[in-house]
Amino acid sequence: MTHSLRKKAVGVAVMLGLAAASLAPLQASATTYDLGVNPSFADTVTYKVKGTFEDLFTFTLNPAADLAAQGVALNFAKFSNITGGTFQLFSGIPGSKQATSIGTSVSLNNIEHDYFKLSSGDYFFNVRGKVDGTGGGSYIFSLVATPVPEPGEWALLLSGLGLIGTMIRRRSRSLGA
């Protein structure tokens, strides 16, 4: 093969590779964030590349808890834009057959969604959408876990309040006599 023919073959291969890359769908990202036990979390996630994304936020609840979550796509004209953004809560471990959805997916449109009386265990949020802004796209995701008091804790609280009431009543009787 002559030198000029070899150059042309390499040039054609590079052109075909670039053409194939421009036709392939872009994947912005797929990231997993471990939030630990009973999380209180808020952060902005930014993508500079157009394409789809699917992020997982994993955490553990111990003890049982109520959970408030909110997702907001930070869309600014055509520069920073996410379309079709949603988040959904699952119990279990991502990728396992035991992972089950809790409720339906919620849009990334600044609406807080509450989940009440979730039992102890592993959970994760799946946040997904499409980045199509010329400068990429961003979203804010936040969640707060609030432990639910156990029945024994309620009984202890009520008995303490009863004792305080009894003490106040005895004092008022002794002062009045």
Side-chain angles (χ1 to χ4, degrees):
M1 187 182 262
T2 67
H3 183 65
S4 68
L5 189 57
R6 188 176 303 151
K7 275 184 159 180
K8 287 180 184 177
V10 169
V12 169
V14 168
M15 297 278 282
L16 289 173
L18 290 174
S22 68
L23 295 175
L26 296 174
Q27 178 69 26
S29 182
T31 306
T32 300
Y33 303 90
D34 183 4
L35 305 181
V37 179
N38 298 334
S40 179
F41 170 84
D43 202 1
T44 302
V45 179
T46 300
Y47 295 103
K48 300 198 185 288
V49 178
K50 288 184 178 184
T52 60
F53 66 89
E54 182 171 349
D55 296 331
L56 300 175
F57 295 86
T58 63
F59 58 95
T60 301
L61 295 179
N62 188 16
D66 291 339
L67 192 67
Q70 184 174 24
V72 182
L74 301 175
N75 293 336
F76 182 70
K78 297 280 184 191
F79 180 73
S80 176
N81 197 48
I82 293 178
T83 56
T86 62
F87 66 92
Q88 185 169 8
L89 178 64
F90 291 83
S91 65
I93 298 172
S96 71
K97 292 181 181 180
Q98 291 78 24
T100 56
S101 66
I102 298 175
T104 59
S105 64
V106 179
S107 175
L108 287 177
N109 61 4
N110 199 23
I111 295 177
E112 182 176 301
H113 197 73
D114 297 319
Y115 304 89
F116 296 106
K117 297 182 183 171
L118 297 174
S119 60
S120 296
D122 295 319
Y123 294 88
F124 66 95
F125 274 100
N126 180 319
V127 182
R128 61 175 59 192
K130 180 180 178 188
V131 177
D132 58 7
T134 56
S138 298
Y139 70 89
I140 297 173
F141 187 70
S142 65
L143 64 99
V144 176
T146 309
V148 176
E150 301 277 333
E153 292 172 351
W154 282 109
L156 185 61
L157 173 70
L158 293 175
S159 64
L161 290 174
L163 286 172
I164 291 171
T166 302
M167 288 174 34
I168 291 173
R169 189 172 186 183
R170 285 186 180 175
R171 277 193 181 161
S172 65
R173 282 186 183 170
S174 67
L175 292 176

